[in-house]
Amino acid sequence: MQQDFQQQQTLINGIYSLWQGIDDEEQKRENKKPLKQAHPQFSQLTDKQKLRKQILNNNKKNKGKLKGEGQVQHEDFESNQTQIQQLKYETKPQFVLLVKPNNEEIQIDLEQYIDEQYAIQGNNSKVSYFKQESDFGHTEYKLRLVDPDPKRLTHLTTQMNYRLSEGNGMAYYKIGVEDSGNPLGLNKSDMLGSLRTLCSMAQSLKAELIVVGINQGTNGKTSEVIVRKGLKDGINLDIRILLLGESGSGKTSLLGVLSTGQLDNGKGLARMKFLKNRSEITSGKTERVSHTVIGFDSEGKIMNHQNQLNFNPTCMVEKLVDLSTKLITFIDMGGTKRAHNQMIQIINSQFPDYALLTISSLQPIGKPTMDFLKLIQIQQIPFMIAITHVDKMDEYFYMDKVEQLKEMITSLQIQSVPLVVRSEEDVVLFSKQILSKTLIPIFLISNLKQRTLDYFIKFLNLLPSTNELTNNSNLDSEYCIHNVFEINNQKVLGGTVLKGVIRVKQILQMGPDKHGRFFPIEIEEIQCNRVQVKSVQCGQICTIRFKQGTLTQQFGSDQNPVRRGMVLIDSKSNPQAAWDFLAEIWLFDDQKDAKKIAASFEPVINTQCTRQICKIIREEQLQFEPLKLRKQQSKSIDESSRQNQDRQQQRLPYRKQSEQIKKASSSSNLNKSYRSPRRKSSQNKESFVDEDLKKIDLFVISEKNDKPQEFIELQPKQPNFIRLKFKYFPEYITKGMKLIINDNGLQAWGFIKYINY
């Protein structure tokens, strides 16, 4: 029996020790886990509130001892009271905004304003009641908010953040009002404490407090407050990478893997998160130009992944801009012909820092890849190459693609050497040498395997910024318009800041319209990377909502619309619109023979802002003669032709016209005028042709015979000077502006040498 008892006790002790070991391991795991905090300011508030409670407890203990003791302890008590007040309102602002009746915002002292409002005696008969509070929307009722606990404070701030998201950055608070809508009211001290806690909540969310007014309640006073999300001064300049490649090369799938952190399944899972239109989803091809922002932290990790950020995807871009130390914007062109036509305009207007050329190992290298390399060489953009779908081919097969690329690059006389990245040392070396354009990194990527993407992600984190427009920050403001949208019956502009800094409430000149005029506008709102800001720097892409003046109501109508190609410019620059200019044109380097173009050829000219058809002015008019004589001649020719037509087609009275119609509609006249189409006698034909028509036909034939078609010969590897004129409306251009022509077999680039205003 004794042995059985000992065995049973050893078993029980072993079980207890086992459970104790499991509990110790669980405690160690919990200690290793980081504590989740809603905001760093909340931890500071909790520490200060703990200190305040300790001081209050000490004062309660020493309260009875102060009667019989000396003056020193009394001084200590007063110092403790001042410490309590400092800890109570240290993080809370003392100034808020007040809205006047004329909608002006002024900064006021909160305590002084409440003293003034409570000194005014109100009528209880003018109390206004409200509807019951709704769980949805941007309106919140609060009866009293004085010294809340840390848990209560975190709950209130998350509630305020929800109301701000419901109101698109605006929330309306009614203090001293019950949830049922009864305006019970508060006394002066409770109102001051409630507004101060509301200020601390708004400050933690980087919002500002606006007091609309203080009204009379049943047992006190109520206040109406607006919480507005504070605007950022600006956003750090991002690095823009242009994605180029043929259809099916894996551009959109690569972006899906980088931004979500989830690998592709080989059936298009990664790209389905980016495709939005029904036609894109069914075809699996990107048809429109898209912008994707990817952020990196200080350790080189991508912040777009949801395991790195604990917030909803709706506010992802705004939080991404706040928490990221480096931003990279990918411009996905798509592989369709429509996207290829827009490629030249995007390269000219959006100023990409780098270009990423994607080539599929499953497809042969075609002509579009050669065109991409030509444009990259002309614009002098540093570029890198990514060979995708590596997992589906053997190594010797996609190494043949590398050799084909080397031959193509040498044929285009590109002096950079293409090399494959195979180690982390290569990543560091290529990131330093890519700006010198001596090396071209080639990445072997598969969207199904993470190890092939590691080198590419590290390379993106080490890329330096190369935006040349940052040198124009001290110049007058200039903004190039790429697109025009309409949101809620208001026009929104999308474009790039070329010079200076653009701020909210700044007045700029917009133009030129179809008559070459500029009109003043006021900037109301600016968004950069979907984040509302106060200002944008030169080199950044942003959207602008503007307000027109009373004198510019005709500008922006259907007859005189706001179009792509216009600019926003400072009035100090004295902008002028131009019709014609002299261009210095160079043919692409691969063209060895001279190019002949007809004098009547109308090419499409692409510049930084404009894309318009131009007419070629002949060589005998290259002396830049004034165009007034030619305009007068054209007007006189038009007037003479109109006078002849008026003489031939003089209007008769209504009675004579009706008589002629009756005669023509009679059966005899119809039989006389009818001729069978099978008869080919020249006499019958001449009877139906007027003498004026004969003269016009003879004039056209004689003009064709006398003036044969002229040609202009463009020589390779030397400058060619051509005078061009815009066909539809004048444009804002500057001397030295780059231009590209890629129309009907003519591939050329050049500069604007002279402008004829």
Side-chain angles (χ1 to χ4, degrees):
M1 293 290 290
Q2 195 171 4
Q3 290 178 356
D4 294 337
F5 179 74
Q6 288 178 357
Q7 288 178 0
Q8 190 176 3
Q9 195 164 6
T10 53
L11 283 170
I12 292 167
N13 292 330
I15 291 167
Y16 280 129
S17 63
L18 181 64
W19 282 109
Q20 191 174 2
I22 292 169
D23 292 337
D24 293 338
E25 287 182 358
E26 288 181 354
Q27 285 181 0
K28 288 179 182 179
R29 288 177 184 175
E30 289 179 357
N31 292 329
K32 288 181 180 179
K33 290 181 181 179
L35 294 173
K36 292 184 179 180
Q37 293 182 358
H39 199 275
Q41 288 188 2
F42 296 154
S43 60
Q44 296 175 5
L45 285 171
T46 53
D47 294 338
K48 289 175 182 177
Q49 286 178 356
K50 286 178 182 177
L51 284 172
R52 184 166 169 265
K53 285 183 179 179
Q54 288 178 3
I55 295 169
L56 286 171
N57 291 328
N58 293 329
N59 288 337
K60 286 179 182 178
K61 290 178 182 178
N62 298 326
K63 200 170 185 180
K65 298 179 182 179
L66 288 174
K67 295 180 180 178
E69 294 182 359
Q71 189 177 0
V72 179
Q73 291 182 351
H74 185 71
E75 291 176 357
D76 293 337
F77 179 76
E78 288 181 352
S79 64
N80 288 335
Q81 290 293 328
T82 55
Q83 252 182 350
I84 290 168
Q85 294 296 329
Q86 287 177 1
L87 289 169
K88 187 176 179 181
Y89 300 121
E90 187 176 355
T91 60
K92 299 174 184 179
Q94 297 292 325
F95 294 93
V96 295
L97 295 175
L98 175 68
V99 178
K100 284 188 172 183
N102 55 358
N103 293 328
E104 290 184 2
E105 296 179 2
I106 58 171
Q107 196 172 15
I108 58 166
D109 185 1
L110 184 61
E111 189 173 357
Q112 183 180 359
Y113 174 70
I114 288 173
D115 290 337
E116 292 175 357
Q117 293 296 320
Y118 272 83
I120 301 170
Q121 294 181 357
N123 288 324
N124 292 328
S125 60
K126 294 183 179 180
V127 175
S128 58
Y129 292 84
F130 305 100
K131 296 180 181 179
Q132 189 174 0
E133 183 187 13
S134 175
D135 294 334
F136 306 99
H138 53 75
T139 305
E140 181 71 26
Y141 299 162
K142 290 297 175 188
L143 181 62
R144 186 174 177 272
L145 296 173
V146 179
D147 296 335
D149 295 332
K151 291 182 180 179
R152 174 68 175 163
L153 188 64
T154 54
H155 174 71
L156 291 172
T157 50
T158 52
Q159 192 179 46
M160 180 182 284
N161 194 11
Y162 170 73
R163 296 295 186 185
L164 286 170
S165 62
E166 287 286 313
N168 294 325
M170 297 277 285
Y172 297 87
Y173 273 74
K174 297 184 185 300
I175 307 299
V177 180
E178 295 178 338
D179 293 340
S180 61
N182 181 24
L184 190 62
L186 297 174
N187 55 18
K188 187 170 71 172
S189 61
D190 289 345
M191 180 63 73
L192 182 61
S194 299
L195 290 177
R196 277 177 170 164
T197 53
L198 204 66
C199 284
S200 65
M201 291 157 52
Q203 189 180 13
S204 64
L205 294 174
K206 296 182 180 179
E208 54 188 0
L209 203 70
I210 303 172
V211 179
V212 179
I214 292 178
N215 303 318
Q216 184 64 35
T218 55
N219 295 328
K221 291 198 175 184
T222 63
S223 63
E224 295 182 8
V225 180
I226 298 174
V227 182
R228 185 173 62 189
K229 197 80 178 203
L231 297 179
K232 296 184 179 180
D233 294 331
I235 294 176
N236 295 329
L237 195 67
D238 57 345
I239 296 174
R240 290 192 284 273
I241 299 177
L242 182 66
L243 273 175
L244 300 174
E246 299 182 25
S247 179
S249 60
K251 300 184 295 296
T252 310
S253 300
L254 179 61
L255 283 181
V257 173
L258 290 176
S259 60
T260 59
Q262 298 177 0
L263 296 175
D264 195 10
N265 62 350
K267 298 180 181 179
L269 177 65
R271 70 167 179 262
M272 291 301 290
K273 296 179 181 180
F274 281 88
L275 302 178
K276 297 179 181 179
N277 297 330
R278 185 178 296 176
S279 60
E280 291 180 346
I281 294 170
T282 54
S283 63
K285 297 180 181 179
T286 306
E287 297 177 356
R288 296 185 179 183
V289 180
S290 62
H291 294 73
T292 304
V293 182
I294 292 177
F296 289 88
D297 61 356
S298 58
E299 297 179 357
K301 296 179 181 178
I302 296 178
M303 299 297 294
N304 297 60
H305 304 166
Q306 291 187 359
N307 57 358
Q308 296 287 337
L309 297 175
N310 297 319
F311 50 79
N312 296 327
T314 54
C315 58
M316 182 175 177
V317 178
E318 186 174 356
K319 294 288 184 182
L320 186 67
V321 171
D322 291 337
L323 300 176
S324 300
T325 58
K326 185 175 187 178
L327 294 174
I328 294 179
T329 303
F330 284 93
I331 306 171
D332 188 6
M333 290 296 303
T336 59
K337 291 183 179 180
R338 179 183 177 186
H340 289 175
N341 294 331
Q342 296 177 353
M343 178 182 58
I344 297 174
Q345 184 187 2
I346 288 173
I347 290 175
N348 282 338
S349 59
Q350 299 192 11
F351 303 97
D353 299 317
Y354 300 96
L356 175 62
L357 180 62
T358 58
I359 298 170
S360 176
S361 59
L362 303 176
Q363 298 176 353
I365 299 174
K367 186 183 176 183
T369 305
M370 180 72 80
D371 296 336
F372 295 148
L373 289 172
K374 288 178 187 176
L375 286 172
I376 290 169
Q377 183 187 9
I378 289 167
Q379 296 290 334
Q380 297 180 356
I381 302 172
F383 69 99
M384 62 208 83
I385 299 172
I387 298 177
T388 58
H389 305 119
V390 175
D391 58 320
K392 297 183 180 180
M393 292 293 171
D394 296 331
E395 186 177 357
Y396 70 89
F397 187 82
Y398 56 74
M399 288 308 293
D400 292 338
K401 294 279 184 184
V402 176
E403 295 297 328
Q404 292 178 13
L405 280 171
K406 289 181 180 179
E407 293 176 0
M408 187 180 292
I409 289 169
T410 52
S411 66
L412 292 173
Q413 298 179 0
I414 299 175
Q415 297 178 357
S416 303
V417 180
L419 293 174
V420 180
V421 179
R422 296 189 181 276
S423 63
E424 293 185 1
E425 295 176 356
D426 294 341
V427 171
V428 178
L429 178 63
F430 284 128
S431 63
K432 293 179 180 178
Q433 296 293 329
I434 192 170
L435 292 180
S436 61
K437 299 177 184 177
T438 56
L439 299 174
I440 301 172
I442 299 176
F443 295 92
L444 305 177
I445 292 174
S446 172
N447 294 324
L448 303 178
K449 296 180 180 180
Q450 182 65 34
R451 60 183 178 82
T452 60
L453 295 166
D454 291 338
Y455 292 151
F456 184 64
I457 292 171
K458 291 178 182 177
F459 180 77
L460 292 176
N461 186 35
L462 296 175
L463 274 179
S465 178
T466 62
N467 201 327
E468 297 178 355
L469 294 176
T470 54
N471 299 325
N472 301 332
S473 58
N474 296 325
L475 302 176
D476 294 333
S477 302
E478 185 176 337
Y479 177 82
C480 172
I481 299 173
H482 306 157
N483 296 309
V484 181
F485 311 98
E486 191 168 352
I487 301 172
N488 297 328
N489 296 325
Q490 287 186 340
K491 290 182 180 177
V492 179
L493 309 176
T496 308
V497 183
L498 301 179
K499 296 178 184 178
V501 180
I502 295 180
R503 298 178 178 85
V504 179
K505 296 183 179 180
Q506 186 178 0
I507 296 174
L508 297 174
Q509 299 288 325
M510 177 189 282
D513 64 347
K514 63 180 182 180
H515 303 293
R517 298 172 297 183
F518 289 80
F519 296 92
I521 57 125
E522 183 181 355
I523 295 172
E524 287 189 336
E525 185 180 345
I526 302 173
Q527 284 192 5
C528 185
N529 284 331
R530 302 176 188 175
V531 179
Q532 193 172 354
V533 294
K534 294 181 181 178
S535 62
V536 282
Q537 304 173 5
C538 57
Q540 289 185 327
I541 299 173
C542 63
T543 56
I544 292 175
R545 184 168 59 87
F546 64 94
K547 181 176 68 174
Q548 297 183 12
T550 56
L551 300 175
T552 61
Q553 293 180 355
Q554 296 180 356
F555 180 61
S557 60
D558 295 336
Q559 291 79 17
N560 195 7
V562 178
R563 56 177 176 83
R564 183 178 61 186
M566 290 184 174
V567 294
L568 299 180
I569 193 167
D570 199 345
S571 58
K572 297 178 183 177
S573 302
N574 295 323
Q576 293 181 355
W579 276 101
D580 58 335
F581 57 93
L582 180 68
E584 177 186 343
I585 292 176
W586 296 72
L587 295 177
F588 281 12
D589 291 337
D590 62 334
Q591 298 182 10
K592 298 179 181 179
D593 300 330
K595 190 79 174 178
K596 285 186 178 181
I597 58 173
S600 60
F601 177 56
E602 297 179 350
V604 178
I605 305 296
N606 297 275
T607 63
Q608 289 181 0
C609 300
T610 63
R611 186 177 185 269
Q612 192 181 156
I613 298 173
C614 290
K615 296 180 180 180
I616 297 176
I617 301 176
R618 297 177 183 177
E619 293 182 358
E620 61 265 15
Q621 297 174 351
L622 283 177
Q623 301 296 327
F624 284 91
E625 299 171 355
L627 298 175
K628 294 181 180 179
L629 294 173
R630 281 183 283 159
K631 289 181 179 178
Q632 288 178 0
Q633 290 175 3
S634 62
K635 285 181 181 179
S636 61
I637 291 168
D638 294 337
E639 288 174 0
S640 62
S641 62
R642 286 175 185 172
Q643 288 176 4
N644 292 329
Q645 290 178 2
D646 292 338
R647 290 174 184 174
Q648 292 173 6
Q649 298 178 357
Q650 289 180 356
R651 291 189 176 181
L652 298 172
Y654 178 74
R655 292 179 181 178
K656 292 184 179 181
Q657 287 182 10
S658 61
E659 290 176 0
Q660 288 181 359
I661 291 168
K662 288 178 182 179
K663 289 180 181 180
S665 62
S666 62
S667 61
S668 60
N669 290 330
L670 286 172
N671 292 327
K672 288 179 183 178
S673 61
Y674 176 76
R675 294 289 184 272
S676 176
R678 295 180 181 177
R679 297 179 184 178
K680 298 182 180 179
S681 61
S682 61
Q683 294 179 359
N684 293 330
K685 285 184 180 180
E686 289 176 359
S687 63
F688 291 101
V689 178
D690 295 333
E691 294 181 357
D692 295 331
L693 292 174
K694 281 184 184 179
K695 291 179 183 178
I696 293 169
D697 292 338
L698 290 171
F699 177 74
V700 173
I701 292 166
S702 64
E703 187 180 13
K704 288 182 180 179
N705 294 329
D706 295 342
K707 295 182 179 180
Q709 192 173 9
E710 295 183 0
F711 290 93
I712 298 173
E713 190 171 345
L714 302 177
Q715 299 296 331
K717 296 182 180 181
Q718 67 180 23
N720 301 279
F721 296 96
I722 297 177
R723 187 178 180 185
L724 300 169
K725 182 181 179 181
F726 292 113
K727 186 175 181 180
Y728 299 110
F729 28 75
E731 301 284 1
Y732 175 76
I733 53 177
T734 57
K735 188 177 178 180
M737 186 180 287
K738 286 184 181 180
L739 57 90
I740 293 179
I741 303 172
N742 188 11
D743 191 10
N744 290 331
L746 177 61
Q747 293 182 341
W749 63 280
F751 304 94
I752 295 174
K753 296 290 290 184
Y754 183 82
I755 302 170
N756 190 18
Y757 291 108

